[in-house]
Amino acid sequence: MGDSWKSRKVVIVGAGAVGSTFAYALAQKGLADEIALIDANRDFAEGQALDLAHGLPYYPSVQIKVGQKQDYAGAEVIVVTAGAEQAPGESRLALIKKNKTIIELIIEEILDQQSQAVIVVATNPVDILTYTALKHTGWPKSRVMGSGTVLDSARFRYLLSQHCDVDVGNVHAYFLGEHGDSEFPAWSMTHIAGVAIDDYCPVCKKCMSWLLERKEIVKTVRESAYHIINYKGATYFAIGMALVRIVGTILQDQRSILPVSTLLEGEYGIQDVCLGVPCIVGQGGVKQIIEAPLFQEEKEALSKSAVILQNVINQVLIQD
Ligand SMILES: NC(=O)c1ccc[n+]([C@@H]2O[C@H](COP(=O)([O-])OP(=O)(O)OC[C@H]3O[C@@H](n4cnc5c(N)ncnc54)[C@H](O)[C@@H]3O)[C@@H](O)[C@H]2O)c1
């Protein structure tokens, strides 16, 4: 290997359910040369890394190890999944403050190492913590993003494909806004095999009342995480794949358009908040925000999401 060869290193902070599932999926895709797992619980990270590394004969070529803060220096992408669990009786705001402190400590260590990486935040509430991470780094906004509504959009595409009984690969669709209760479907951007959804529904004839059934699909997307958490306590497989999609497009400079959480500075008439909007993502992070010509009600839904997030930012981040 020549001197110019540079290892594609991905550091994952938080080796819990989301971090380890992402590591497992990433290793199988062969997108990274090195995966380093960091966790506040060092023994746990050790166990996770060993368990993952024992699959080495069966992955494409990759190294998997427990990471340390020095790994931030050579990382191409740092994915943050570290977070505290909600304690019994603890308010959502208190949990946000706790996770904000965790993110800030992680960012301090990343800065100490003069890292040139792109940071992808997955810890919830993802839009608020992406904003925290961005402000704390002082980096260009392109280099700090959140997983945004990439997972929600995958759920939306899956449900549409099931409903229309077509390959999910033929479904192009986005959920936008807050990764949370105020997220919404961008019907204006929804296409099946290139046909706008409003034109596709009358010819598809798979449902009795497409307006009612669309409402049901949207409700199911919004409530997905609650249902899965009720069934098994956490969600991690699909977010693991969504993170592979985001990190893959960064490592391979694919310039995929994904609804990651990014700082808006006037786009869509919104200022100083991070939320999920379509972005061209590639090497170096977010290359461009795509200002899609949304329907009027979608523009209003995006603004509503922004106001909700700005209120939380004011409560949690500014009045600290
Ligand atoms: N963005 C999304 O779409 C999405 C989807 C699912 C889950 N999540 C979020 O991902 C986060 C992780 O979920 P999980 O199920 O993996 O939780 P988990 O409890 O299984 O793992 C979290 C890990 O973070 C570690 N940790 C805590 N503080 C740390 C610190 N300062 N430095 C390093 N590691 C630290 C813990 O030890 C733990 O191992 C949660 O906030 C969850 O809500 C986001």
Side-chain angles (χ1 to χ4, degrees), residues 31-106:
L31 289 166
D33 300 305
E34 210 178 331
I35 300 173
L37 287 163
I38 295 179
D39 199 283
N41 181 342
R42 170 94 195 179
D43 284 352
F44 180 62
E46 197 75 55
Q48 293 284 60
L50 273 178
D51 195 5
L52 284 159
H54 291 167
L56 237 61
Y58 313 117
Y59 303 125
S61 171
V62 65
Q63 292 304 318
I64 301 175
K65 63 171 194 180
V66 176
Q68 44 192 343
K69 59 185 181 190
Q70 286 77 5
D71 282 297
Y72 293 135
E76 208 152 319
V77 187
I78 299 168
V79 177
V80 181
T81 74
E85 282 180 25
Q86 198 154 7
E90 185 178 43
S91 73
R92 191 168 164 267
L93 269 186
L95 178 69
I96 298 174
K97 286 192 178 190
K98 216 192 270 178
N99 279 344
K100 171 183 172 267
T101 306
I102 290 175
I103 298 292
E104 286 172 348
L105 288 171
I106 293 166

Side-chain angles (χ1 to χ4, degrees), residues 14 16-18 39-40 44 81-83 85 102 122-124 147 151 179 235 239:
V18 173
D39 199 283
F44 180 62
T81 74
E85 282 180 25
I102 290 175
T123 307
N124 277 319
S147 55
L151 170 60
H179 171 63
T235 75
I239 180 64

